[in-house]
Amino acid sequence: MTIRLLPPDVANAIAAGEVVERPASVVKELIENALDAGARRISVDVHGAGRTLIRVADDGAGMSAGELPLAFLRHATSKLAAREDLDAIGTLGFRGEALASIAAVSDVECRSGAARLRVRGGQVVEEGPAAPAPGTVVEVRDLFASTPARLKFMKSDAVEGAACLQVASSYALLFPAVRFTVAIGERRSFSTPGDGDAAAAAAAVLGASVGRELIGVAADGEVAVSGLVSQPRVHRSSREAILLAVNHRPVSSRALTFALEECYRGRLERGRHPIAVLDVAVPLEDVDVNVHPAKREVKFKSEGAVFSALQRAVRAALQETRPYEIRLDSRDPEPWPRAPAGHDAPALLLDAVTAVEVASSAPLRPLGQAGDGYLVAESPEGVLLIDQHAAHERVLYNRFLARLRGAQGLSQPLLVPAVVDLEPAQVAVMREHDASLRSAGFVVEEFGSRQARVEAAPAETPAGRAGEALSATLAALAEGRGDGAVEAAAASLACHSAVRFGDPLDLSEQRRLLQELEAAPESVTCPHGRPTRLLLAWPDLKRHFRRNY
Ligand code: ADP
Ligand code: MG
């Protein structure tokens, strides 16, 4: 075995592997450089999924002719000077590695100010003046052409192209004051207005219909949180639409993703995920960004404080939850009657919804029961269809949760006590949660080692279902942990106590359920996240029937 010092080109190619994993990494580093240079406009073009050409042009501070070759040396940066600077990094870049790494595995041309430089495989191949222009243009060609091993690991063009789009989208969403013009291949492109409005950037990147469903998040404090999150009625099957950032740097953080998703518990069904663009502003010295080669992860001094600030902010924003709505198809071949000037139809619809949230204490008027278990009702917003079981579940869940946490509820003795068989784990949690089960309304006697006799149950639980309700509640307590277990128990108890789909309800019972539903917080979904009601808004109906605009 002979130990030898590697020649610089080999060492650089190895180091490049850490920074430049795939074309999207190049897009990311070049956009970060443009942002660090104070650009107000950035254009991104990607051809051949990044293998043929990646071009990022900006109108930022640029570099002088003397600086240009330095930028391509490893550990050459204008963003750090001393060891202490690492403790408070306010720029996206800081390692001085990106351009050197990119140039080690591609053919790069950079024009900045009045200078031009071309570096191929880490070697400067051309250098000279250029027509003076503001800002910087970096063009990366033939990425990984000289490192076939790396090329082999590339995924399909569609996947690599999508990753590039994802990166560009992230920065466009997080920097709404910068005008992004992005074209990935021939088909995928967007441009943001760059006017500083986060909602406008979101509409440009994610589409107008998604943009309309996002709620603003804004909370000040030692840890400030800002951004947008989706109405619970809009959701995705993966976490891909969750974008979290710390001091404007996109990060992947299981803890923060969990913090966000917890806010949607009971508002989204299992397996569904929100859309979010959230930036957490943390004092620079309270976060270490120097823990991951691609700067994707960060370490907080106090993760708990960030976690709870994020949750407080998102929970406050979600107070504005709107109901699921029937959207009538507007792709009608006939021209629509025009709305008053300055108002197109969707805006009118939203105005109506917003206006009604002011008047939300107006009662729902029951009109009857349809299809066995849907209540039909009228409200100032429009016509509503309500799933009677889901609605009652929501009402009872809120009540039972408070009681399992100690609020005293009404209990009703059973004429014939119910005997339930229990698993050992259920017996254990029954003892552990004795006090909360009592405040919920259960009076239970253990007998034998595996059985219990239910002598009284919550007043809301039908007598015939007291046994199964207890058993389901205990099972939920035994399966879950901490707060989650108590919430799951409240959901089980609510499910076993609520009116069933198919139970006939007379008008006065319908009215009572609707009143309770209106009064219940988070009443848009049942505790499992399924919708409780569907709105057909008056303006939509009006448009559909072409009534006097
Ligand atoms: P880092 O961003 O970590 O400093 P890079 O290798 O990405 O390292 O860039 C090296 C240096 O080149 C930067 O510190 C910056 O001074 C300069 N630079 C790179 N891109 C640009 C740009 N688009 N505009 C102005 N200066 C740039
Ligand atoms: Mg950089």
Side-chain angles (χ1 to χ4, degrees):
M1 208 166 58
T2 318
I3 299 180
R4 62 172 76 83
L5 209 54
L6 290 172
D9 60 326
V10 182
N12 285 346
I14 292 173
E18 293 205 329
V19 179
V20 191
E21 288 171 283
R22 60 196 300 190
S25 333
V26 175
V27 175
K28 173 185 149 73
E29 295 295 341
L30 297 182
I31 292 178
E32 287 195 354
N33 281 348
L35 290 167
D36 281 344
R40 308 295 301 194
R41 289 176 180 215
I42 297 178
S43 79
V44 179
D45 291 280
V46 175
H47 295 272
R51 266 174 299 207
T52 319
L53 173 68
I54 296 171
R55 179 196 293 116
V56 175
D58 67 62
D59 65 350
M63 286 170 271
S64 66
E67 282 177 318
L68 199 50
L70 280 180
F72 283 84
L73 296 181
R74 194 165 295 284
H75 308 303
T77 178
S78 56
K79 301 169 195 174
L80 282 187
R83 162 71 191 81
E84 307 80 75
D85 296 342
L86 268 179
D87 298 335
I89 294 169
T91 46
L92 293 164
F94 54 89
R95 293 211 182 106
E97 281 186 321
L99 288 182
S101 297
I102 294 167
V105 291
S106 68
D107 179 344
V108 183
E109 173 162 341
C110 179
R111 294 187 296 278
S112 196
R116 190 175 88 85
L117 184 75
R118 182 141 172 228
V119 188
R120 192 188 301 146
Q123 305 295 320
V124 175
V125 291
E126 283 174 50
E127 199 173 355
T136 301
V137 185
V138 182
E139 292 177 345
V140 177
R141 292 191 170 78
D142 300 335
L143 182 65
F144 299 140
S146 58
T147 48
R150 181 61 56 158
L151 208 52
K152 255 204 319 239
F153 281 100
M154 297 255 298
K155 307 226 171 74
S156 69
D157 279 12
V159 172
E160 297 297 344
C164 294
L165 182 67
Q166 174 96 8
V167 165
S169 304
S170 302
Y171 289 95
L173 289 165
L174 290 168
F175 290 84
V178 177
R179 187 151 140 194
F180 278 83
T181 309
V182 176
I184 313 285
E186 258 124 54
R187 276 181 297 157
R188 284 179 294 197
S189 59
F190 66 81
S191 56
T192 58
D195 58 1
D197 178 5
V205 176
L206 305 170
S209 59
V210 170
R212 268 199 294 276
E213 297 290 343
L214 300 177
I215 319 170
V217 176
D220 284 340
E222 177 76 0
V223 176
V225 182
S226 61
L228 301 158
V229 293
S230 52
Q231 284 285 342
R233 66 185 183 184
V234 177
H235 35 76
R236 295 276 164 94
S237 60
S238 77
R239 295 194 176 85
E240 261 170 37
I242 298 178
L243 170 59
L244 299 177
V246 175
N247 298 338
H248 285 92
R249 177 193 305 283
V251 294
S252 69
S253 159
R254 286 172 75 109
L256 293 190
T257 306
F258 181 75
L260 166 71
E261 294 215 88
E262 261 210 335
C263 301
Y264 281 84
R265 200 155 63 193
R267 297 173 189 269
L268 292 183
E269 278 181 79
R270 208 181 279 244
R272 307 300 302 179
H273 307 278
I275 299 167
V277 179
L278 284 179
D279 184 45
V280 182
V282 183
L284 295 182
E285 55 284 2
D286 290 352
V287 53
D288 187 357
V289 298
N290 192 18
V291 294
H292 186 277
K295 300 169 287 185
R296 254 200 311 270
E297 286 168 23
V298 296
K299 223 162 117 193
F300 297 108
K301 222 178 232 170
S302 163
E303 188 167 80
V306 178
F307 191 99
S308 42
L310 186 141
Q311 287 207 324
R312 262 196 312 276
V314 173
R315 290 212 159 108
L318 287 178
Q319 297 301 317
E320 256 190 68
T321 298
R322 293 200 289 259
Y324 282 78
E325 242 176 90
I326 302 176
R327 289 292 173 128
L328 294 177
D329 192 357
S330 57
R331 285 169 299 161
D332 192 292
E334 285 181 42
W336 290 107
R338 286 317 309 158
H343 280 84
D344 59 2
L348 267 185
L349 186 69
L350 283 187
D351 285 350
V353 172
T354 325
V356 163
E357 273 162 17
V358 181
S360 69
S361 58
L364 297 178
R365 188 165 74 89
L367 301 174
Q369 221 176 357
D372 288 345
Y374 299 110
L375 306 186
V376 184
E378 186 193 61
S379 84
E381 292 171 81
V383 177
L384 283 151
L385 292 170
I386 290 135
D387 178 317
Q388 64 184 38
H389 174 71
H392 201 204
E393 244 185 341
R394 165 53 71 188
V395 168
L396 293 183
Y397 169 81
N398 290 359
R399 219 177 273 173
F400 288 141
L401 185 60
R403 293 191 192 155
L404 286 172
R405 286 174 174 163
Q408 194 57 49
L410 272 185
S411 178
Q412 186 181 297
L414 302 180
L415 285 178
V416 185
V419 175
V420 230
D421 295 325
L422 298 174
E423 300 292 328
Q426 287 173 302
V427 176
V429 288
M430 186 165 77
R431 289 180 193 155
E432 189 189 329
H433 292 270
D434 180 54
S436 21
L437 290 168
R438 260 171 208 285
S439 60
F442 281 111
V443 178
V444 187
E445 284 284 320
E446 258 186 71
F447 79 95
S449 61
R450 292 265 205 126
Q451 281 191 317
R453 190 167 49 227
V454 188
E455 310 210 318
E460 292 83 352
T461 309
R465 289 196 234 148
E468 64 177 63
L470 176 74
S471 162
T473 307
L474 295 177
L477 284 173
E479 263 172 41
R481 240 185 270 155
D483 239 18
V486 178
E487 285 167 9
S492 281
L493 183 51
C495 182
H496 286 271
S497 308
V499 291
R500 292 187 165 148
F501 196 84
D503 286 350
L505 297 180
D506 64 28
L507 271 183
S508 69
E509 289 168 318
Q510 293 175 24
R511 186 171 301 114
R512 205 174 67 191
L513 176 52
L514 294 177
Q515 276 165 0
E516 290 175 331
L517 183 67
E518 274 301 84
E522 297 177 35
S523 67
V524 166
T525 53
C526 83
H528 307 101
R530 287 191 294 271
T532 56
R533 53 181 144 163
L534 185 61
L535 172 70
L536 180 48
W538 295 128
D540 242 10
L541 272 177
K542 222 171 161 178
R543 249 178 348 137
H544 186 75
F545 291 109
R546 323 269 202 281
R547 299 203 65 86
N548 57 359
Y549 263 120

